[in-house]
Amino acid sequence: MNDSLDTTLPIAILGAGPVGLAAAAHVAARGLTPLILEAGALVGANLESYRHVRLFSPWQYNVDRAARGLLEAAGWRMPAPDSLPTAGELVDGYLRPLAALPVLAAQLKLGQRVVAITRAGFDKVKTRGRERAPFVIRVRTEEGERDYLASAVIDATGTWSQPNPLGAHGVPAQGEAALGARIFYGMPDVLGRERARYAGKRVLVVGAGHSAAGTLLALAQLADEVPGTQLVWAIRGQPGAKLFGGGEADGLAARGLLGMRLQALQQSGRLELRQSFRIRSLADNGGVITVYDDAGAAPIEEIAEVIAATGARPDLELTRELRVRHDPWLESTDLLAPLIDPNEHSCGTVRPHGHRELAHPEPGYYAVGAKSYGRAPNFLMATGYEQVRSVVAALAGDLAAADDVQLELPETGVCSTRQAYDDTPAAGCCGGPAPAAAPGCCAADAQASAEGKGGCGCAAAAPAARCGA
Ligand SMILES: Cc1cc2nc3c(=O)[nH]c(=O)nc-3n(C[C@H](O)[C@H](O)[C@H](O)COP(=O)(O)OP(=O)(O)OC[C@H]3O[C@@H](n4cnc5c(N)ncnc54)[C@H](O)[C@@H]3O)c2cc1C
């Protein structure tokens, strides 16, 4: 057992999404006590918000090993490993049964929004004895505020509830807040619950990722069914190899297919594509929205509804009183950033990493799951499951297991060098995990490149200022 871990207190797990619940399963499997604090009324609240979306990773990548062990001991059976659940099926068929296991259910508290994490009796400045002080977790509930004590904190709150704004400069576009009622951030169920909102309307989708692709394809189906439905798509960059994904080279067939279908839709002429469009402002013009570009391109006009598929960012306010150190631009940890920086490469693959890469100066605090990636996209649940296995092993004092990080992820097929973020064509094609023994991204890239094959980033041609940092 880790000597500094006070086993009279639980290990707090913030967020009951797939990675938070996996962390709880690992904690329970090691005979420790989790305390799971979830803001939503149900587990998997973020997945619930896009429950209609079919995931692109099959069941085999979506179920954590410790969670599976606990579930199967209670009679649960794993769905066909290569079938693709919707987000809702993942919640109903896996997360809810997992959370209902007595070993977790007793420790799960719903409707508890964490608003701050600190150390009992210590503000950020005070040092002596700090690492022995319990963590204090302040939550907001319908009944008011309350504090919980914990020996360690695993923050799996994701990023989905902090969507990026439409504004091209990272701050809301002028007029964005005022038009909030006609902007949907995320993936609306355009063929189901939100059908009436979009049917027969001219709809602008903003963003270049998988969420935008999925929404555009759903809108295209709506346009087939309801005349007058028009699709406009705005992206900051230009369409290139990255934009439409890896196609048949993608290790996740459904993800590759998504890009191929989007490309076919664009080529069909049914989609008005506005490339290199950097949104500066939005204005209400007699009931319809006009969207203006920062460089003076012709505005996008007559828009009834906007869907912002612009990604998300972590909530760093929670840790204001903790000693955390983030990468200045990605808001992941320093050590993780070079492995996932979309400026350098667009790998879905990432070198295996665990508690060491996720550690902050504040001992006992870890951000895991989608939040661990900060603003970088392409997070996969399987990555989070290995993260929490390693982190919980480290908290339990089992450093051999904690350091034995292993991760095998499907390739994206578009692991490109440089500027993937702005959707410019890939400078080269590569992919595949970097050698496990490589000390960092640059070394891995150099080695992979020398061997004439891809690795994490395979960025031999890139100046890679980041890697020297
Ligand atoms: C449309 C879409 C499709 C995706 N498809 C795939 C896929 O096919 N395969 C894949 O591997 N990944 C996919 N992803 C990525 C996916 O987000 C993650 O893999 C997964 O949801 C990450 O799990 P998580 O537990 O880290 O975070 P989340 O699932 O975001 O869970 C975070 C939890 O924390 C809770 N929470 C947030 N703030 C607080 C707070 N302050 N206090 C308490 N609780 C809080 C939330 O309510 C939520 O329950 C997809 C993402 C999107 C958006």
PDB file of all heavy atoms in Angstrom, residues 15-20 37-40 44-47 50 55-57 112-114 156-158 160-161 187 211 318 369-370 379-381, ligand 1:
ATOM      1  N   GLY A  15     -16.934  12.402 -11.517  1.00  0.00           N
ATOM      2  CA  GLY A  15     -17.522  12.089 -12.811  1.00  0.00           C
ATOM      3  C   GLY A  15     -17.752  10.595 -12.969  1.00  0.00           C
ATOM      4  O   GLY A  15     -16.839   9.798 -12.761  1.00  0.00           O
ATOM      5  N   ALA A  16     -18.998  10.229 -13.304  1.00  0.00           N
ATOM      6  CA  ALA A  16     -19.337   8.817 -13.508  1.00  0.00           C
ATOM      7  C   ALA A  16     -19.584   8.546 -14.980  1.00  0.00           C
ATOM      8  O   ALA A  16     -20.598   7.983 -15.385  1.00  0.00           O
ATOM      9  CB  ALA A  16     -20.546   8.438 -12.670  1.00  0.00           C
ATOM     10  N   GLY A  17     -18.631   8.982 -15.819  1.00  0.00           N
ATOM     11  CA  GLY A  17     -18.621   8.579 -17.221  1.00  0.00           C
ATOM     12  C   GLY A  17     -17.896   7.249 -17.316  1.00  0.00           C
ATOM     13  O   GLY A  17     -17.578   6.625 -16.284  1.00  0.00           O
ATOM     14  N   PRO A  18     -17.608   6.789 -18.534  1.00  0.00           N
ATOM     15  CA  PRO A  18     -16.944   5.491 -18.671  1.00  0.00           C
ATOM     16  C   PRO A  18     -15.601   5.417 -17.947  1.00  0.00           C
ATOM     17  O   PRO A  18     -15.278   4.382 -17.347  1.00  0.00           O
ATOM     18  CB  PRO A  18     -16.758   5.331 -20.182  1.00  0.00           C
ATOM     19  CG  PRO A  18     -17.243   6.570 -20.824  1.00  0.00           C
ATOM     20  CD  PRO A  18     -17.979   7.385 -19.823  1.00  0.00           C
ATOM     21  N   VAL A  19     -14.837   6.496 -17.967  1.00  0.00           N
ATOM     22  CA  VAL A  19     -13.507   6.425 -17.349  1.00  0.00           C
ATOM     23  C   VAL A  19     -13.602   6.555 -15.823  1.00  0.00           C
ATOM     24  O   VAL A  19     -12.912   5.850 -15.084  1.00  0.00           O
ATOM     25  CB  VAL A  19     -12.557   7.472 -17.980  1.00  0.00           C
ATOM     26  CG1 VAL A  19     -11.189   7.411 -17.328  1.00  0.00           C
ATOM     27  CG2 VAL A  19     -12.434   7.222 -19.489  1.00  0.00           C
ATOM     28  N   GLY A  20     -14.493   7.424 -15.342  1.00  0.00           N
ATOM     29  CA  GLY A  20     -14.676   7.528 -13.893  1.00  0.00           C
ATOM     30  C   GLY A  20     -15.162   6.210 -13.303  1.00  0.00           C
ATOM     31  O   GLY A  20     -14.649   5.750 -12.275  1.00  0.00           O
ATOM     32  N   LEU A  37     -18.529  10.975  -7.357  1.00  0.00           N
ATOM     33  CA  LEU A  37     -19.364  12.181  -7.322  1.00  0.00           C
ATOM     34  C   LEU A  37     -19.718  12.576  -8.749  1.00  0.00           C
ATOM     35  O   LEU A  37     -18.841  12.909  -9.549  1.00  0.00           O
ATOM     36  CB  LEU A  37     -18.607  13.323  -6.626  1.00  0.00           C
ATOM     37  CG  LEU A  37     -18.183  13.018  -5.189  1.00  0.00           C
ATOM     38  CD1 LEU A  37     -17.230  14.092  -4.672  1.00  0.00           C
ATOM     39  CD2 LEU A  37     -19.395  12.874  -4.282  1.00  0.00           C
ATOM     40  N   GLU A  38     -20.986  12.499  -9.082  1.00  0.00           N
ATOM     41  CA  GLU A  38     -21.437  12.750 -10.456  1.00  0.00           C
ATOM     42  C   GLU A  38     -22.433  13.909 -10.473  1.00  0.00           C
ATOM     43  O   GLU A  38     -23.406  13.919  -9.709  1.00  0.00           O
ATOM     44  CB  GLU A  38     -22.074  11.473 -11.028  1.00  0.00           C
ATOM     45  CG  GLU A  38     -22.929  11.656 -12.263  1.00  0.00           C
ATOM     46  CD  GLU A  38     -22.192  12.254 -13.465  1.00  0.00           C
ATOM     47  OE1 GLU A  38     -21.059  11.845 -13.741  1.00  0.00           O
ATOM     48  OE2 GLU A  38     -22.782  13.163 -14.114  1.00  0.00           O
ATOM     49  N   ALA A  39     -22.202  14.855 -11.389  1.00  0.00           N
ATOM     50  CA  ALA A  39     -23.079  16.027 -11.470  1.00  0.00           C
ATOM     51  C   ALA A  39     -24.470  15.671 -11.991  1.00  0.00           C
ATOM     52  O   ALA A  39     -25.468  16.261 -11.565  1.00  0.00           O
ATOM     53  CB  ALA A  39     -22.443  17.072 -12.389  1.00  0.00           C
ATOM     54  N   GLY A  40     -24.530  14.726 -12.904  1.00  0.00           N
ATOM     55  CA  GLY A  40     -25.803  14.409 -13.560  1.00  0.00           C
ATOM     56  C   GLY A  40     -26.730  13.604 -12.663  1.00  0.00           C
ATOM     57  O   GLY A  40     -26.349  13.131 -11.588  1.00  0.00           O
ATOM     58  N   GLY A  44     -23.009   8.330 -16.802  1.00  0.00           N
ATOM     59  CA  GLY A  44     -22.827   8.495 -18.248  1.00  0.00           C
ATOM     60  C   GLY A  44     -23.591   9.687 -18.791  1.00  0.00           C
ATOM     61  O   GLY A  44     -24.096   9.658 -19.925  1.00  0.00           O
ATOM     62  N   ALA A  45     -23.673  10.758 -18.003  1.00  0.00           N
ATOM     63  CA  ALA A  45     -24.534  11.889 -18.382  1.00  0.00           C
ATOM     64  C   ALA A  45     -24.117  12.520 -19.711  1.00  0.00           C
ATOM     65  O   ALA A  45     -24.972  12.951 -20.483  1.00  0.00           O
ATOM     66  CB  ALA A  45     -24.540  12.935 -17.271  1.00  0.00           C
ATOM     67  N   ASN A  46     -22.828  12.586 -19.996  1.00  0.00           N
ATOM     68  CA  ASN A  46     -22.414  13.196 -21.261  1.00  0.00           C
ATOM     69  C   ASN A  46     -22.788  12.308 -22.445  1.00  0.00           C
ATOM     70  O   ASN A  46     -23.299  12.785 -23.460  1.00  0.00           O
ATOM     71  CB  ASN A  46     -20.916  13.510 -21.247  1.00  0.00           C
ATOM     72  CG  ASN A  46     -20.614  14.714 -20.370  1.00  0.00           C
ATOM     73  OD1 ASN A  46     -21.521  15.471 -20.016  1.00  0.00           O
ATOM     74  ND2 ASN A  46     -19.359  14.905 -20.012  1.00  0.00           N
ATOM     75  N   LEU A  47     -22.524  11.014 -22.327  1.00  0.00           N
ATOM     76  CA  LEU A  47     -22.932  10.087 -23.393  1.00  0.00           C
ATOM     77  C   LEU A  47     -24.445  10.125 -23.584  1.00  0.00           C
ATOM     78  O   LEU A  47     -24.960  10.018 -24.699  1.00  0.00           O
ATOM     79  CB  LEU A  47     -22.487   8.664 -23.057  1.00  0.00           C
ATOM     80  CG  LEU A  47     -20.985   8.416 -23.175  1.00  0.00           C
ATOM     81  CD1 LEU A  47     -20.542   7.344 -22.218  1.00  0.00           C
ATOM     82  CD2 LEU A  47     -20.617   8.036 -24.599  1.00  0.00           C
ATOM     83  N   TYR A  50     -25.805  12.516 -26.097  1.00  0.00           N
ATOM     84  CA  TYR A  50     -25.772  12.135 -27.525  1.00  0.00           C
ATOM     85  C   TYR A  50     -26.039  10.630 -27.664  1.00  0.00           C
ATOM     86  O   TYR A  50     -25.387   9.920 -28.397  1.00  0.00           O
ATOM     87  CB  TYR A  50     -24.462  12.566 -28.206  1.00  0.00           C
ATOM     88  CG  TYR A  50     -23.161  12.160 -27.575  1.00  0.00           C
ATOM     89  CD1 TYR A  50     -22.527  10.968 -27.924  1.00  0.00           C
ATOM     90  CD2 TYR A  50     -22.529  12.973 -26.647  1.00  0.00           C
ATOM     91  CE1 TYR A  50     -21.319  10.595 -27.367  1.00  0.00           C
ATOM     92  CE2 TYR A  50     -21.317  12.617 -26.072  1.00  0.00           C
ATOM     93  CZ  TYR A  50     -20.718  11.430 -26.439  1.00  0.00           C
ATOM     94  OH  TYR A  50     -19.510  11.071 -25.860  1.00  0.00           O
ATOM     95  N   LEU A  55     -21.380   4.879 -31.824  1.00  0.00           N
ATOM     96  CA  LEU A  55     -19.946   5.065 -31.589  1.00  0.00           C
ATOM     97  C   LEU A  55     -19.170   4.413 -32.718  1.00  0.00           C
ATOM     98  O   LEU A  55     -19.663   3.516 -33.397  1.00  0.00           O
ATOM     99  CB  LEU A  55     -19.554   4.464 -30.245  1.00  0.00           C
ATOM    100  CG  LEU A  55     -20.269   5.060 -29.021  1.00  0.00           C
ATOM    101  CD1 LEU A  55     -19.768   4.403 -27.738  1.00  0.00           C
ATOM    102  CD2 LEU A  55     -20.077   6.573 -28.949  1.00  0.00           C
ATOM    103  N   PHE A  56     -17.921   4.864 -32.902  1.00  0.00           N
ATOM    104  CA  PHE A  56     -17.115   4.240 -33.951  1.00  0.00           C
ATOM    105  C   PHE A  56     -16.157   3.199 -33.385  1.00  0.00           C
ATOM    106  O   PHE A  56     -15.507   2.501 -34.131  1.00  0.00           O
ATOM    107  CB  PHE A  56     -16.379   5.290 -34.784  1.00  0.00           C
ATOM    108  CG  PHE A  56     -15.701   6.364 -33.963  1.00  0.00           C
ATOM    109  CD1 PHE A  56     -14.580   6.083 -33.224  1.00  0.00           C
ATOM    110  CD2 PHE A  56     -16.216   7.656 -33.940  1.00  0.00           C
ATOM    111  CE1 PHE A  56     -13.966   7.065 -32.470  1.00  0.00           C
ATOM    112  CE2 PHE A  56     -15.609   8.646 -33.191  1.00  0.00           C
ATOM    113  CZ  PHE A  56     -14.481   8.345 -32.443  1.00  0.00           C
ATOM    114  N   SER A  57     -16.070   3.116 -32.079  1.00  0.00           N
ATOM    115  CA  SER A  57     -15.238   2.041 -31.523  1.00  0.00           C
ATOM    116  C   SER A  57     -16.148   0.912 -31.060  1.00  0.00           C
ATOM    117  O   SER A  57     -17.161   1.145 -30.395  1.00  0.00           O
ATOM    118  CB  SER A  57     -14.371   2.555 -30.375  1.00  0.00           C
ATOM    119  OG  SER A  57     -15.168   3.065 -29.333  1.00  0.00           O
ATOM    120  N   GLN A 112     -24.326  15.673  -7.768  1.00  0.00           N
ATOM    121  CA  GLN A 112     -23.298  16.349  -6.964  1.00  0.00           C
ATOM    122  C   GLN A 112     -22.301  16.994  -7.920  1.00  0.00           C
ATOM    123  O   GLN A 112     -21.405  16.326  -8.442  1.00  0.00           O
ATOM    124  CB  GLN A 112     -22.537  15.333  -6.096  1.00  0.00           C
ATOM    125  CG  GLN A 112     -23.407  14.313  -5.412  1.00  0.00           C
ATOM    126  CD  GLN A 112     -23.830  14.736  -4.022  1.00  0.00           C
ATOM    127  OE1 GLN A 112     -23.053  15.338  -3.299  1.00  0.00           O
ATOM    128  NE2 GLN A 112     -25.054  14.414  -3.656  1.00  0.00           N
ATOM    129  N   ARG A 113     -22.476  18.270  -8.182  1.00  0.00           N
ATOM    130  CA  ARG A 113     -21.552  18.969  -9.088  1.00  0.00           C
ATOM    131  C   ARG A 113     -20.349  19.462  -8.309  1.00  0.00           C
ATOM    132  O   ARG A 113     -20.464  20.292  -7.401  1.00  0.00           O
ATOM    133  CB  ARG A 113     -22.247  20.141  -9.788  1.00  0.00           C
ATOM    134  CG  ARG A 113     -21.294  20.922 -10.691  1.00  0.00           C
ATOM    135  CD  ARG A 113     -22.018  21.788 -11.688  1.00  0.00           C
ATOM    136  NE  ARG A 113     -22.777  21.016 -12.654  1.00  0.00           N
ATOM    137  CZ  ARG A 113     -22.250  20.412 -13.726  1.00  0.00           C
ATOM    138  NH1 ARG A 113     -20.954  20.506 -13.982  1.00  0.00           N
ATOM    139  NH2 ARG A 113     -22.996  19.717 -14.559  1.00  0.00           N
ATOM    140  N   VAL A 114     -19.191  18.955  -8.650  1.00  0.00           N
ATOM    141  CA  VAL A 114     -17.962  19.390  -7.980  1.00  0.00           C
ATOM    142  C   VAL A 114     -17.634  20.800  -8.459  1.00  0.00           C
ATOM    143  O   VAL A 114     -17.597  21.060  -9.672  1.00  0.00           O
ATOM    144  CB  VAL A 114     -16.804  18.418  -8.297  1.00  0.00           C
ATOM    145  CG1 VAL A 114     -15.499  18.924  -7.694  1.00  0.00           C
ATOM    146  CG2 VAL A 114     -17.131  17.022  -7.798  1.00  0.00           C
ATOM    147  N   ALA A 156     -12.299  12.738 -13.402  1.00  0.00           N
ATOM    148  CA  ALA A 156     -12.733  12.205 -14.709  1.00  0.00           C
ATOM    149  C   ALA A 156     -13.970  12.961 -15.174  1.00  0.00           C
ATOM    150  O   ALA A 156     -14.957  12.364 -15.606  1.00  0.00           O
ATOM    151  CB  ALA A 156     -13.011  10.707 -14.597  1.00  0.00           C
ATOM    152  N   THR A 157     -13.914  14.288 -15.066  1.00  0.00           N
ATOM    153  CA  THR A 157     -15.104  15.094 -15.387  1.00  0.00           C
ATOM    154  C   THR A 157     -15.234  15.411 -16.876  1.00  0.00           C
ATOM    155  O   THR A 157     -16.166  16.109 -17.280  1.00  0.00           O
ATOM    156  CB  THR A 157     -15.125  16.414 -14.577  1.00  0.00           C
ATOM    157  OG1 THR A 157     -13.879  17.078 -14.754  1.00  0.00           O
ATOM    158  CG2 THR A 157     -15.351  16.161 -13.103  1.00  0.00           C
ATOM    159  N   GLY A 158     -14.304  14.937 -17.685  1.00  0.00           N
ATOM    160  CA  GLY A 158     -14.445  15.129 -19.130  1.00  0.00           C
ATOM    161  C   GLY A 158     -14.312  16.589 -19.533  1.00  0.00           C
ATOM    162  O   GLY A 158     -13.843  17.448 -18.764  1.00  0.00           O
ATOM    163  N   TRP A 160     -16.888  17.682 -22.113  1.00  0.00           N
ATOM    164  CA  TRP A 160     -18.069  17.870 -22.967  1.00  0.00           C
ATOM    165  C   TRP A 160     -18.967  18.998 -22.491  1.00  0.00           C
ATOM    166  O   TRP A 160     -19.670  19.620 -23.293  1.00  0.00           O
ATOM    167  CB  TRP A 160     -18.821  16.535 -23.048  1.00  0.00           C
ATOM    168  CG  TRP A 160     -19.883  16.439 -24.106  1.00  0.00           C
ATOM    169  CD1 TRP A 160     -21.214  16.191 -23.899  1.00  0.00           C
ATOM    170  CD2 TRP A 160     -19.727  16.542 -25.529  1.00  0.00           C
ATOM    171  NE1 TRP A 160     -21.876  16.129 -25.096  1.00  0.00           N
ATOM    172  CE2 TRP A 160     -20.990  16.345 -26.122  1.00  0.00           C
ATOM    173  CE3 TRP A 160     -18.640  16.777 -26.369  1.00  0.00           C
ATOM    174  CZ2 TRP A 160     -21.208  16.379 -27.496  1.00  0.00           C
ATOM    175  CZ3 TRP A 160     -18.847  16.822 -27.742  1.00  0.00           C
ATOM    176  CH2 TRP A 160     -20.120  16.622 -28.292  1.00  0.00           C
ATOM    177  N   SER A 161     -18.972  19.275 -21.202  1.00  0.00           N
ATOM    178  CA  SER A 161     -19.864  20.358 -20.730  1.00  0.00           C
ATOM    179  C   SER A 161     -19.242  21.748 -20.861  1.00  0.00           C
ATOM    180  O   SER A 161     -19.866  22.731 -20.475  1.00  0.00           O
ATOM    181  CB  SER A 161     -20.359  20.086 -19.302  1.00  0.00           C
ATOM    182  OG  SER A 161     -19.430  19.360 -18.581  1.00  0.00           O
ATOM    183  N   MET A 187     -24.000  17.540 -30.333  1.00  0.00           N
ATOM    184  CA  MET A 187     -24.591  16.731 -31.406  1.00  0.00           C
ATOM    185  C   MET A 187     -26.082  16.552 -31.172  1.00  0.00           C
ATOM    186  O   MET A 187     -26.508  15.593 -30.542  1.00  0.00           O
ATOM    187  CB  MET A 187     -23.911  15.364 -31.467  1.00  0.00           C
ATOM    188  CG  MET A 187     -22.525  15.386 -32.054  1.00  0.00           C
ATOM    189  SD  MET A 187     -21.951  13.722 -32.424  1.00  0.00           S
ATOM    190  CE  MET A 187     -22.754  13.345 -33.967  1.00  0.00           C
ATOM    191  N   SER A 211     -17.775  14.873 -34.770  1.00  0.00           N
ATOM    192  CA  SER A 211     -19.126  15.307 -34.381  1.00  0.00           C
ATOM    193  C   SER A 211     -19.779  16.068 -35.524  1.00  0.00           C
ATOM    194  O   SER A 211     -20.965  15.880 -35.819  1.00  0.00           O
ATOM    195  CB  SER A 211     -19.074  16.203 -33.147  1.00  0.00           C
ATOM    196  OG  SER A 211     -18.441  15.537 -32.095  1.00  0.00           O
ATOM    197  N   LEU A 318     -11.854  24.037 -11.326  1.00  0.00           N
ATOM    198  CA  LEU A 318     -12.002  23.082 -10.214  1.00  0.00           C
ATOM    199  C   LEU A 318     -10.727  22.984  -9.387  1.00  0.00           C
ATOM    200  O   LEU A 318     -10.778  22.767  -8.184  1.00  0.00           O
ATOM    201  CB  LEU A 318     -12.340  21.678 -10.747  1.00  0.00           C
ATOM    202  CG  LEU A 318     -13.620  21.479 -11.544  1.00  0.00           C
ATOM    203  CD1 LEU A 318     -13.807  20.006 -11.858  1.00  0.00           C
ATOM    204  CD2 LEU A 318     -14.804  22.002 -10.763  1.00  0.00           C
ATOM    205  N   GLY A 369      -9.023  10.358 -18.340  1.00  0.00           N
ATOM    206  CA  GLY A 369     -10.110  10.332 -19.312  1.00  0.00           C
ATOM    207  C   GLY A 369     -10.018  11.501 -20.282  1.00  0.00           C
ATOM    208  O   GLY A 369      -8.944  12.077 -20.513  1.00  0.00           O
ATOM    209  N   ALA A 370     -11.159  11.889 -20.812  1.00  0.00           N
ATOM    210  CA  ALA A 370     -11.184  12.960 -21.815  1.00  0.00           C
ATOM    211  C   ALA A 370     -10.543  14.233 -21.261  1.00  0.00           C
ATOM    212  O   ALA A 370      -9.885  14.977 -21.981  1.00  0.00           O
ATOM    213  CB  ALA A 370     -12.623  13.221 -22.248  1.00  0.00           C
ATOM    214  N   PHE A 379      -9.550  11.617 -28.213  1.00  0.00           N
ATOM    215  CA  PHE A 379      -9.463  10.748 -27.039  1.00  0.00           C
ATOM    216  C   PHE A 379     -10.326   9.507 -27.261  1.00  0.00           C
ATOM    217  O   PHE A 379     -11.429   9.589 -27.792  1.00  0.00           O
ATOM    218  CB  PHE A 379      -9.934  11.502 -25.789  1.00  0.00           C
ATOM    219  CG  PHE A 379      -9.887  10.648 -24.574  1.00  0.00           C
ATOM    220  CD1 PHE A 379      -8.692  10.459 -23.907  1.00  0.00           C
ATOM    221  CD2 PHE A 379     -11.019   9.983 -24.124  1.00  0.00           C
ATOM    222  CE1 PHE A 379      -8.632   9.625 -22.804  1.00  0.00           C
ATOM    223  CE2 PHE A 379     -10.971   9.150 -23.027  1.00  0.00           C
ATOM    224  CZ  PHE A 379      -9.775   8.973 -22.365  1.00  0.00           C
ATOM    225  N   LEU A 380      -9.820   8.371 -26.834  1.00  0.00           N
ATOM    226  CA  LEU A 380     -10.600   7.136 -26.894  1.00  0.00           C
ATOM    227  C   LEU A 380     -10.720   6.547 -25.489  1.00  0.00           C
ATOM    228  O   LEU A 380      -9.768   6.601 -24.706  1.00  0.00           O
ATOM    229  CB  LEU A 380      -9.929   6.097 -27.805  1.00  0.00           C
ATOM    230  CG  LEU A 380      -9.962   6.372 -29.308  1.00  0.00           C
ATOM    231  CD1 LEU A 380      -9.135   5.329 -30.047  1.00  0.00           C
ATOM    232  CD2 LEU A 380     -11.401   6.364 -29.825  1.00  0.00           C
ATOM    233  N   MET A 381     -11.878   5.991 -25.215  1.00  0.00           N
ATOM    234  CA  MET A 381     -12.109   5.385 -23.900  1.00  0.00           C
ATOM    235  C   MET A 381     -11.011   4.414 -23.505  1.00  0.00           C
ATOM    236  O   MET A 381     -10.592   4.376 -22.343  1.00  0.00           O
ATOM    237  CB  MET A 381     -13.421   4.590 -23.925  1.00  0.00           C
ATOM    238  CG  MET A 381     -14.633   5.388 -23.611  1.00  0.00           C
ATOM    239  SD  MET A 381     -16.120   4.423 -23.919  1.00  0.00           S
ATOM    240  CE  MET A 381     -16.462   4.848 -25.605  1.00  0.00           C
TER     241      MET A 381
HETATM  242  C1  LIG B   1     -20.105  12.434 -30.203  1.00  0.00           C
HETATM  243  C2  LIG B   1     -18.961  11.688 -29.600  1.00  0.00           C
HETATM  244  C3  LIG B   1     -18.675  10.402 -30.014  1.00  0.00           C
HETATM  245  C4  LIG B   1     -17.613   9.711 -29.439  1.00  0.00           C
HETATM  246  N1  LIG B   1     -17.347   8.439 -29.864  1.00  0.00           N
HETATM  247  C5  LIG B   1     -16.358   7.732 -29.252  1.00  0.00           C
HETATM  248  C6  LIG B   1     -16.093   6.376 -29.625  1.00  0.00           C
HETATM  249  O1  LIG B   1     -16.710   5.816 -30.526  1.00  0.00           O
HETATM  250  N2  LIG B   1     -15.128   5.706 -28.953  1.00  0.00           N
HETATM  251  C7  LIG B   1     -14.397   6.290 -27.953  1.00  0.00           C
HETATM  252  O2  LIG B   1     -13.543   5.614 -27.366  1.00  0.00           O
HETATM  253  N3  LIG B   1     -14.604   7.564 -27.601  1.00  0.00           N
HETATM  254  C8  LIG B   1     -15.557   8.293 -28.221  1.00  0.00           C
HETATM  255  N4  LIG B   1     -15.781   9.591 -27.870  1.00  0.00           N
HETATM  256  C9  LIG B   1     -14.912  10.211 -26.893  1.00  0.00           C
HETATM  257  C10 LIG B   1     -15.647  10.106 -25.561  1.00  0.00           C
HETATM  258  O3  LIG B   1     -15.912  11.426 -25.083  1.00  0.00           O
HETATM  259  C11 LIG B   1     -14.853   9.462 -24.519  1.00  0.00           C
HETATM  260  O4  LIG B   1     -14.213   8.308 -24.952  1.00  0.00           O
HETATM  261  C12 LIG B   1     -15.605   9.164 -23.230  1.00  0.00           C
HETATM  262  O5  LIG B   1     -16.880   9.695 -23.098  1.00  0.00           O
HETATM  263  C13 LIG B   1     -14.709   9.773 -22.199  1.00  0.00           C
HETATM  264  O6  LIG B   1     -15.140   9.354 -20.979  1.00  0.00           O
HETATM  265  P1  LIG B   1     -14.843  10.206 -19.677  1.00  0.00           P
HETATM  266  O7  LIG B   1     -15.384   9.360 -18.576  1.00  0.00           O
HETATM  267  O8  LIG B   1     -13.443  10.640 -19.633  1.00  0.00           O
HETATM  268  O9  LIG B   1     -15.697  11.550 -19.852  1.00  0.00           O
HETATM  269  P2  LIG B   1     -17.249  11.785 -20.052  1.00  0.00           P
HETATM  270  O10 LIG B   1     -17.901  10.667 -20.751  1.00  0.00           O
HETATM  271  O11 LIG B   1     -17.375  13.130 -20.635  1.00  0.00           O
HETATM  272  O12 LIG B   1     -17.820  11.784 -18.559  1.00  0.00           O
HETATM  273  C14 LIG B   1     -17.602  12.828 -17.657  1.00  0.00           C
HETATM  274  C15 LIG B   1     -18.616  12.706 -16.519  1.00  0.00           C
HETATM  275  O13 LIG B   1     -18.297  13.689 -15.534  1.00  0.00           O
HETATM  276  C16 LIG B   1     -19.480  14.371 -15.150  1.00  0.00           C
HETATM  277  N5  LIG B   1     -19.094  15.722 -14.709  1.00  0.00           N
HETATM  278  C17 LIG B   1     -18.690  16.762 -15.475  1.00  0.00           C
HETATM  279  N6  LIG B   1     -18.400  17.823 -14.702  1.00  0.00           N
HETATM  280  C18 LIG B   1     -18.612  17.443 -13.425  1.00  0.00           C
HETATM  281  C19 LIG B   1     -18.464  18.097 -12.171  1.00  0.00           C
HETATM  282  N7  LIG B   1     -18.030  19.344 -12.084  1.00  0.00           N
HETATM  283  N8  LIG B   1     -18.774  17.412 -11.042  1.00  0.00           N
HETATM  284  C20 LIG B   1     -19.204  16.131 -11.105  1.00  0.00           C
HETATM  285  N9  LIG B   1     -19.367  15.462 -12.274  1.00  0.00           N
HETATM  286  C21 LIG B   1     -19.063  16.106 -13.413  1.00  0.00           C
HETATM  287  C22 LIG B   1     -20.343  14.367 -16.397  1.00  0.00           C
HETATM  288  O14 LIG B   1     -21.706  14.565 -16.070  1.00  0.00           O
HETATM  289  C23 LIG B   1     -20.040  12.987 -16.960  1.00  0.00           C
HETATM  290  O15 LIG B   1     -20.892  11.997 -16.428  1.00  0.00           O
HETATM  291  C24 LIG B   1     -16.834  10.313 -28.431  1.00  0.00           C
HETATM  292  C25 LIG B   1     -17.141  11.611 -28.022  1.00  0.00           C
HETATM  293  C26 LIG B   1     -18.178  12.289 -28.601  1.00  0.00           C
HETATM  294  C27 LIG B   1     -18.458  13.678 -28.120  1.00  0.00           C
END
